[in-house]
């Protein structure tokens, strides 16, 4: 698995990123900032990390590399990625988040932030070009930096506490599945400060990869057991770096991320929502909300949000199918101004959903049902070779007949979207979407249908069809 930029930052095996590669990419980022006029020697630059075993070592190497380029490094320690981004915006500082997000512990990555927010695809190309050009010239070392963790955490908690009035969550029993997310303690403190009774669940000192877009059977079983056992109104959690939310209802059933994003948009009063093609097709039915679709990945969502703002749109937000919610506009919430934070955040959608249910006096399952979205499910084939994914997508795109034969046992294609992967609307109205992951050797499958049973069957058929094709063409 080679180091490469995917849907959100640089990713690869931890052993491939340690040492010289991490020093080289940190150096390349620093030189790109200077060359592009976005920063200069002596400026502050932030660094933070998740709880992976490899993250402290990688952070120390990156710190040394940044210092050698003349930057003043501020260590934000283990804070959520949106907290790092917020602190960077407040201080006009670029930043690096050492995290592999939701992927397995043997992998890791780096997310890069300019002083004005996430890097874009042009930045990725420039950083990669510099990193390639200086290969073999960078000697890795390790260094520490000024401690700014408390300041970064305090600013982020203050932002989120201001979203709801005091006691807004009074009377709710909320489980916090802590596992190894950097958001674990902050979630407990924040929810308790808003009046909720919090119950800590599943804390782990070993890294646990939690994918909020494809929740594992093991996690589903834990949630389903914890909810009745503890008489919970909800269970909340996040991925490793705290930018993707996980919210389960009173039965322990997770709410889909795109629903969380939609609820957050309603909570904010957003008029424009930008979201990838993988999000639920029912979003376009939301009253008063104009939906813009993009490829998968926060850089694409951010670019489309920025374009909407340039074209005169106001009240612009965005979200991904994993639930991470972004804001491109300032919003007025409860008489206070919520400043734009154009990076994925798990806290905003979590608070929006809990507050919306509390205000309506309904359960989370009742709130979810009120939106009447098609049933949407997703899953993935892990350790699916990138070469096989590439061959499959080329085959499906080559001829209409290829797609028809591939889906022969599932249904007849009626319409196809090629924005990112292939999203196929079948003649009976169901949809199936095949998309190679941009971050890992995985093939993802997303489906929609009228009922849970139909969606489960379609998802199983989709994954089985991919698996069978891969086996047949590799023999």
């Amino acid at each position: 698995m080679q180091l490469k930029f995917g849907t959100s930052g640089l990713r690869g095996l931890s052993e491939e990123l340690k040492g010289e590669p991490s020093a080289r990419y940190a150096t390349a980022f620093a030189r790109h900032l200077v060359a592009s006029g976005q920063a200069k020697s002596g400026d502050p630059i932030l660094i933070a990390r998740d709880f992976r075993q490899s993250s402290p070592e990688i952070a120390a190497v990156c710190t040394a590399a940044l210092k050698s380029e003349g930057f003043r490094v501020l260590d934000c320690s283990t804070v959520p990625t949106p907290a790092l981004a917020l602190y960077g915006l407040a201080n006009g500082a670029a930043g690096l988040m050492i995290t592999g997000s939701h992927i397995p512990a043997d992998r890791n990555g780096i997310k890069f932030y300019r002083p004005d927010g996430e890097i874009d695809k042009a930045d990725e190309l420039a950083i990669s070009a510099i990193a390639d050009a200086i290969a073999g010239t960078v000697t890795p070392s390790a260094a520490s930096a000024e401690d700014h963790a408390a300041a970064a955490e305090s600013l982020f908690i203050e932002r989120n506490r201001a979203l709801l009035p005091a006691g807004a969550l009074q009377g709710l029993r909320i489980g916090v599945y802590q596992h190894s997310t950097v958001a674990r303690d902050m979630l407990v403190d924040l929810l308790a400060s808003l009046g909720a009774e919090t119950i800590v669940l599943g804390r782990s000192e070993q890294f646990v990869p939690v994918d909020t877009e494809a929740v594992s059977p093991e996690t589903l079983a834990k949630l389903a057991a914890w909810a009745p056992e503890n008489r919970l109104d909800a269970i909340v959690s996040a991925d490793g770096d705290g930018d993707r939310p996980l919210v389960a209802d009173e039965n322990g059933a997770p709410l889909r991320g795109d629903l969380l994003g939609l609820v957050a948009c309603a909570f904010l009063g957003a008029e424009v929502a930008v979201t990838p093609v993988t999000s639920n097709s029912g979003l376009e039915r939301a009253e008063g909300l104009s939906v813009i679709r993009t490829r998968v990945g926060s850089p694409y969502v951010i670019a489309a949000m920025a374009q909407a703002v340039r074209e005169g749109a106001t009240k612009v937000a965005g979200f991904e199918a994993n639930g991470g919610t972004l804001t491109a506009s300032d919003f007025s919430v409860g008489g206070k101004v919520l400043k734009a934070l154009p990076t994925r955040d798990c806290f905003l959608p979590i608070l929006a959903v809990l507050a919306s249910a509390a205000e309506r006096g309904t359960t989370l399952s009742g709130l979810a049902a009120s939106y009447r979205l098609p049933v949407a499910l997703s899953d993935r084939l892990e350790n699916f070779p990138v070469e096989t994914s590439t061959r499959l997508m080329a085959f499906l795109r080559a001829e209409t007949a290829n797609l028809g034969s591939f889906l022969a046992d599932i249904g007849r294609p009626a319409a196809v979207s090629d924005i990112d992967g292939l999203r196929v609307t079948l003649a009976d109205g169901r949809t199936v979407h095949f998309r190679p992951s941009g971050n890992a050797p995985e093939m993802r499958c997303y489906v929609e249908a009228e009922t849970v049973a139909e969606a489960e069957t379609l998802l199983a058929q989709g994954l089985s069809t991919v698996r069978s094709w891969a086996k047949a063409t590799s023999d």
Side-chain angles (χ1 to χ4, degrees):
M1 182 179 179
Q2 295 181 333
L3 294 177
K4 66 174 185 176
F5 281 98
T7 54
S8 183
L10 184 74
R11 296 281 175 84
L13 293 172
S14 299
E15 293 304 318
E16 293 175 341
L17 187 56
K18 287 180 182 179
E20 189 273 344
S22 54
R24 179 158 47 92
Y25 273 94
T27 300
F29 179 49
R31 293 182 183 179
H32 169 62
L33 290 172
V34 173
S36 60
Q38 298 178 78
K40 62 184 183 302
S41 180
D43 281 354
I45 190 166
L46 314 178
I47 194 159
R49 63 188 185 277
D50 66 16
F51 285 124
R52 289 165 197 272
Q53 185 177 2
S54 59
S55 291
E57 178 182 338
I58 294 170
V61 169
C62 288
T63 296
L66 296 170
K67 282 187 169 183
S68 71
E69 292 298 310
F71 282 86
R72 176 186 166 215
V73 185
L74 311 181
D75 184 9
C76 295
S77 189
T78 50
V79 298
T81 294
L84 177 78
L86 180 67
Y87 197 61
L89 289 173
N91 290 278
L96 290 79
M97 180 73 184
I98 312 304
T99 181
S101 186
H102 62 283
I103 60 179
D106 64 340
R107 303 167 192 173
N108 213 328
I110 308 175
K111 294 181 179 179
F112 299 91
Y113 284 81
R114 307 179 311 212
D116 63 345
E118 279 191 46
I119 63 171
D120 59 24
K121 289 298 178 182
D123 293 314
E124 290 180 359
L125 290 173
I127 294 166
S128 295
I130 296 171
D132 290 343
I134 63 176
T137 68
V138 178
T139 301
S141 59
S144 58
E146 299 175 38
D147 184 0
H148 279 246
E153 181 175 331
S154 176
L155 182 66
F156 191 60
I157 287 180
E158 179 184 339
R159 170 189 175 86
N160 285 286
R161 189 173 288 137
L163 282 172
L164 302 179
L169 303 182
Q170 192 75 38
L172 293 181
R173 285 175 58 85
I174 303 174
V176 179
Y177 177 27
Q178 292 198 313
H179 60 91
S180 53
T181 176
V182 292
R184 59 190 183 184
D185 294 323
M186 199 179 291
L187 277 172
V188 172
D189 293 343
L190 179 62
L191 295 174
S193 74
L194 292 167
E197 181 183 355
T198 57
I199 294 87
V200 170
L201 304 166
R203 189 181 182 95
S204 173
E205 297 313 311
Q206 299 299 315
F207 188 80
V208 178
V210 172
D211 186 348
T212 66
E213 193 174 356
V215 184
S216 69
E218 294 79 12
T219 299
L220 290 173
K222 289 177 180 178
L223 298 174
W226 282 332
E229 208 173 89
N230 295 279
R231 297 176 289 106
L232 300 175
D233 297 297
I235 300 175
V236 302
S237 188
D239 64 338
D241 67 317
D243 68 350
R244 304 178 180 205
L246 175 61
V247 179
D249 65 19
E250 70 281 3
N251 302 307
L255 275 59
R256 275 188 56 90
D258 42 22
L259 172 62
L260 302 182
L262 181 59
V263 175
C265 284
F267 172 81
L268 294 171
E271 295 176 354
V272 176
V274 179
T275 194
V277 66
T278 50
S279 292
N280 197 294
S281 63
L283 300 175
E284 276 78 1
R285 298 200 297 263
E287 187 175 347
L289 190 66
S290 175
V291 178
I292 299 172
R293 298 281 181 163
T294 72
R295 293 181 63 185
V296 175
S298 55
Y300 299 110
V301 174
I302 292 168
M305 290 196 304
Q307 181 64 30
V309 171
R310 285 194 295 270
E311 292 174 355
T314 58
K315 299 183 179 180
V316 179
F319 56 88
E320 298 191 60
N322 55 49
T325 303
L326 315 86
T327 50
S329 307
D330 294 348
F331 287 90
S332 177
V333 181
K336 299 177 182 178
V337 176
L338 179 72
K339 301 292 289 183
L341 183 60
T343 195
R344 276 197 309 255
D345 177 16
C346 80
F347 283 75
L348 171 58
I350 286 173
L351 292 178
V353 167
L354 295 174
S356 297
E359 184 179 353
R360 295 189 190 188
T362 187
T363 60
L364 287 192
S365 64
L367 177 70
S370 71
Y371 279 84
R372 301 183 182 281
L373 295 176
V375 176
L377 300 175
S378 64
D379 204 347
R380 62 194 172 174
L381 296 177
E382 296 184 273
N383 300 312
F384 195 84
V386 173
E387 300 77 17
T388 307
S389 295
T390 301
R391 283 194 297 107
L392 172 59
M393 300 313 293
F395 170 75
L396 296 179
R397 290 183 171 115
E399 295 181 24
T400 302
N402 290 357
L403 181 61
S405 64
F406 182 77
L407 296 174
D409 294 333
I410 296 177
R412 181 171 60 83
V416 178
S417 169
D418 202 6
I419 292 177
D420 194 345
L422 283 177
R423 183 181 177 92
V424 183
T425 301
L426 301 173
D428 59 9
R430 296 175 301 158
T431 64
V432 58
H433 183 175
F434 302 104
R435 175 185 160 270
S437 170
N439 290 325
E442 299 173 350
M443 173 61 78
R444 291 183 178 269
C445 181
Y446 312 81
V447 302
E448 291 182 15
E450 284 299 312
T451 68
V452 172
E454 288 176 338
E456 289 176 341
T457 298
L458 182 57
L459 182 59
Q461 288 178 320
L463 292 171
S464 175
T465 300
V466 171
R467 194 181 294 111
S468 297
W469 184 91
K471 186 177 186 302
T473 58
S474 64
D475 290 343

